[in-house]
Amino acid sequence: MKKANLKKTLAFLVLCLVLVGFIGFVEKQSDYKTYQGAEISISGVSGLYFVEDKEIRKILETSFPDLKAGLVLEEVPLKEIENRIGGHPFVKSVEATIGQKGILNLSISQHQPIARIARPLAADGYITTEGKVIPTSQSYTSRVLILEGKQAEKLMEKGDVMAEMPELMDLIEYITEDEFWNAQITELEVNSPNDIRMYQQVGKQIIEFGNAMDLDDKFDRIQIFYKEILPRKGWDAYSRVSVKFKDQIVCE
């Protein structure tokens, strides 16, 4: 009799444990069907983050006030979140997904500045690797090639260098992708598509480059100026060197 009662008691306890486990499992599964928070992954650019985690969370909090723990996953506006965060000037792309545990995963890549348009009477702007013009960041400064001049300011207003003056993007990339020129050429004065001037890190000569065409040929002539003319005449002999005319190096 005692054994029978013991068996019944053990069976009851096992049943209670199974029931508690089942309730916990159901509750856990229910949690997975509701929003539980956000995880943000931002890819840096040369170790710099022009977009910060706290900035993205502020956008979510301000633009999506209903996005709180417990919100049914079907009501999380993934597309709207992507569009809103994608409107940030430094966000190149964003992908929003919901994980199995109800976590909103945001994968964000940044625009990469390749040059900076400097304006004396207005705010500066960065040119991205895609040729887009975006505002500068209040948090970080990227050391890149500087552009000044009337044409550069016009490009700032247009907002797309690739669409307006694609040959200038070729010149910027030519300089920044070459170790020597990237260190030596610090600034471009872009007065018009046919009047580009270069300023150097070493040497006071203004290099009159002309238009942004025939890049290999023009830079080869600048190299000749460095290697053959300056060693004989001295670094202070000239204030201007021009390679804008084909097959010519004009020094004054």
Side-chain angles (χ1 to χ4, degrees):
M1 188 71 177
K2 289 183 178 181
K3 289 183 178 181
N5 290 334
L6 181 60
K7 288 182 178 180
K8 288 181 180 181
T9 301
L10 289 174
F12 177 74
L13 290 174
V14 171
L15 181 62
C16 288
L17 290 173
V18 170
L19 182 60
V20 169
F22 178 74
I23 292 173
F25 175 78
V26 170
E27 288 180 347
K28 196 67 176 177
Q29 290 300 107
S30 177
D31 286 345
Y32 290 172
K33 293 181 180 178
T34 60
Y35 174 75
Q36 299 299 314
E39 290 185 357
I40 300 170
S41 174
I42 302 173
S43 59
V45 175
S46 301
L48 295 178
Y49 291 85
F50 298 98
V51 185
E52 297 182 327
D53 184 285
K54 63 181 181 181
E55 194 174 0
I56 298 301
R57 293 188 183 278
K58 185 65 176 179
I59 291 174
L60 292 176
E61 179 184 340
T62 303
S63 302
F64 304 96
D66 295 332
L67 191 62
K68 297 178 180 178
L71 180 68
V72 178
L73 292 184
E74 286 77 6
E75 296 180 7
V76 176
L78 295 180
K79 194 63 180 178
E80 289 82 356
I81 290 173
E82 287 181 342
N83 291 337
R84 176 64 185 87
I85 295 175
H88 189 289
F90 267 98
V91 171
K92 180 179 179 181
S93 66
V94 56
E95 182 179 6
T97 58
I98 294 288
Q100 292 183 348
K101 296 183 179 181
I103 299 297
L104 171 64
N105 296 300
L106 294 175
S107 180
I108 298 171
S109 64
Q110 302 178 103
H111 280 299
Q112 181 175 347
I114 193 174
R116 180 175 183 141
I117 298 176
R119 301 189 293 177
L121 301 177
D124 293 356
Y126 282 126
I127 300 174
T128 72
T129 50
E130 293 80 25
K132 302 295 182 183
V133 180
I134 61 176
T136 54
S137 170
Q138 295 182 351
S139 303
Y140 299 98
T141 299
S142 184
R143 297 184 63 181
V144 290
L145 183 67
I146 300 296
L147 274 67
E148 292 185 330
K150 293 180 180 179
Q151 182 66 19
E153 294 196 27
K154 288 180 181 178
L155 294 172
M156 177 84 177
E157 295 170 1
K158 294 291 185 179
D160 192 334
V161 178
M162 185 62 76
E164 299 294 326
M165 194 177 170
E167 69 274 18
L168 180 60
M169 283 301 299
D170 293 337
L171 175 57
I172 293 171
E173 290 171 357
Y174 193 103
I175 293 171
T176 56
E177 291 174 5
D178 184 279
E179 184 178 359
F180 175 77
W181 295 121
N182 189 44
Q184 175 65 352
I185 305 300
T186 59
E187 182 182 325
L188 300 180
E189 181 183 338
V190 189
N191 296 307
S192 75
N194 295 314
D195 183 9
I196 300 173
R197 304 179 184 188
M198 297 180 176
Y199 294 84
Q200 311 164 82
Q201 179 71 32
V202 178
K204 67 177 184 178
Q205 302 85 8
I206 298 174
I207 300 174
E208 294 181 353
F209 201 79
N211 60 33
M213 303 295 185
D214 303 318
L215 301 183
D216 287 330
D217 178 62
K218 289 180 179 179
F219 277 102
D220 284 346
R221 280 183 276 151
I222 297 172
Q223 284 279 24
I224 292 173
F225 172 73
Y226 287 156
K227 293 180 179 180
E228 298 182 16
I229 299 175
L230 286 181
R232 288 188 285 109
K233 298 293 185 178
W235 279 91
D236 297 328
Y238 303 107
S239 61
R240 180 181 73 91
V241 56
S242 175
V243 294
K244 63 182 179 179
F245 300 112
K246 188 172 179 62
D247 299 328
Q248 293 184 34
I249 304 174
V250 179
C251 304
E252 292 183 352

